[in-house]
Amino acid sequence: MTGSPFIQPKAIRERDVMSTVYLSESGEKLADELAGWSPDPVLLIGSTGWGKSVLMRHVASKLKLDYTAINMHRGMDIEYLVGAWRPQPNPDGGMFGIEWVDGLLTAAIRTGKVFLAEELTRAPEEAVSRLFGLLDNGFRSWNMPEA
């Protein structure tokens, strides 16, 4: 994370995997402010490598919430966010049944996780339009006509 004013380069490494991140004083102040916005959505804009994802993982940790993220891309299917009906084997060995399986965002909403949509500008229009209900300041909703 070179160049980030929020992430200190003193990360402890175990087996070449970053296990601990130390935020600078300004990074901690920003994390505290972001944690105060919970559960309201926030939009972080910045160059690659500035620590937006690390910052949100830290905020989730401060809030004692689980964290999940997805990298948006043009080829992604809305099912990744919403979920879908999937065939499931019958435990009795008979015919297959059909069961609803939550997508990443639906599961995060149901369980109260911090959800990060990375590279939002690369998301297909359908995915972005589905997020509008969650981002509405007046009445937040997550519509799942598929379910």
Side-chain angles (χ1 to χ4, degrees), residues 67-125:
Y67 168 90
T68 192
I70 185 173
N71 276 313
M72 304 291 221
H73 55 88
R74 298 233 180 268
M76 73 177 288
D77 193 312
I78 194 67
E79 290 179 359
Y80 290 129
L81 292 176
V82 178
W85 291 99
R86 303 264 188 230
Q88 301 293 325
N90 189 332
D92 299 333
M95 298 288 292
F96 280 85
I98 297 191
E99 182 178 298
W100 176 260
V101 177
D102 287 341
L104 289 175
L105 182 54
T106 302
I109 291 167
R110 287 189 200 272
T111 60
K113 289 182 180 179
V114 170
F115 180 84
L116 178 65
E118 302 206 52
E119 305 297 339
L120 194 56
T121 56
R122 295 182 181 171
E125 188 176 316

Side-chain angles (χ1 to χ4, degrees), residues 39-41 105-106 109 115 128-143:
D40 291 341
L105 182 54
T106 302
I109 291 167
F115 180 84
V128 174
S129 67
R130 292 296 291 270
L131 295 174
F132 288 149
L134 288 175
L135 302 175
D136 185 352
N137 282 336
F139 177 73
R140 281 201 190 93
S141 64
W142 179 236
N143 190 7

Side-chain angles (χ1 to χ4, degrees), residues 1 44 50-58 67 69 116 118:
M1 302 270 163
L44 300 177
W50 272 65
K52 297 176 297 291
S53 301
V54 172
L55 183 64
M56 289 313 298
R57 280 194 297 271
H58 189 69
Y67 168 90
L116 178 65
E118 302 206 52

